[in-house]
Amino acid sequence: MQSIIEKTKEVLGTISENVNDLLQNEKNEVAQEFKEATADRANAMLEEITQLAETINKAGFEVAALNITVGLPPVFAMNFTFVRDISEEEEETLLENYKDKKISIIILKTLFKSTLYAQKLKMGEFKLSEVDIELGIIPDVILKFTK
């Protein structure tokens, strides 16, 4: 019995480390983008985000709101409504189309990971309804579930 408990702890520790590493890499990328944010760079990021709306629909979400905190550096907060799941092939195609656009890739990957994470959670009647992504020096993601 003790060996089963030890193996379980080991596996959970490994999973936790991998998730933290993965999320940390993306947070580091976002932080770097915003540390270098000048007014011109902030406008370019905003333009990239607004041009992504149609692709967001193809990704299974709708853009519900875009909030901008004006400051140095600026903070872009986006609210996405979950509409439907998409296949891995569709995800890969969308990511390939934006491979040269760092902010777009971060947003798309975050939405895809949010959907995957929500599918793994056992929340009874509650289902993923919205994802909030805040891009700034300290990026943040909030998953919202409703009945």
Side-chain angles (χ1 to χ4, degrees):
M1 182 69 161
Q2 188 65 22
S3 67
I4 293 173
I5 292 172
E6 292 303 317
K7 285 181 182 179
T8 303
K9 285 181 182 179
E10 184 179 319
V11 169
L12 289 175
T14 303
I15 291 170
S16 177
E17 288 173 18
N18 289 337
V19 168
N20 287 334
D21 288 345
L22 185 62
L23 295 176
Q24 193 59 44
N25 288 339
E26 289 178 352
K27 284 185 175 186
N28 290 340
E29 285 184 45
V30 172
Q32 189 60 38
E33 283 291 309
F34 280 82
K35 282 181 185 174
E36 299 169 359
T38 62
D40 289 339
R41 180 67 185 125
N43 284 334
M45 285 189 276
L46 180 58
E47 186 175 329
E48 183 177 336
I49 290 168
T50 55
Q51 290 176 353
L52 194 60
E54 184 178 325
T55 301
I56 296 297
N57 291 340
K58 292 177 184 176
F61 288 84
E62 290 179 355
V63 179
L66 174 62
N67 301 306
I68 303 167
T69 302
V70 179
L72 290 174
V75 175
F76 299 106
M78 296 148 288
N79 174 261
F80 302 97
T81 303
F82 177 71
V83 178
R84 64 181 175 84
D85 289 317
I86 65 170
S87 70
E88 285 185 38
E89 293 79 21
E90 289 172 296
E91 287 181 11
E92 290 171 11
T93 300
L94 292 173
L95 291 172
E96 180 62 28
N97 291 341
Y98 285 88
K99 65 183 176 191
D100 297 329
K101 302 215 177 250
K102 192 178 281 190
I103 296 297
S104 297
I105 288 291
I106 290 169
I107 292 169
L108 290 170
K109 283 184 177 179
T110 302
L111 291 173
F112 298 151
K113 288 177 187 174
S114 298
T115 303
L116 185 62
Y117 184 72
Q119 289 170 349
K120 292 180 180 180
L121 291 176
K122 304 295 183 212
M123 305 260 312
E125 295 179 28
F126 290 91
K127 303 292 181 208
L128 179 66
S129 60
E130 296 179 33
V131 176
D132 292 343
I133 299 174
E134 186 175 289
L135 298 177
I137 294 238
I138 301 173
D140 198 17
V141 177
I142 298 171
L143 305 181
K144 297 179 183 179
F145 297 85
T146 56
K147 286 186 178 184

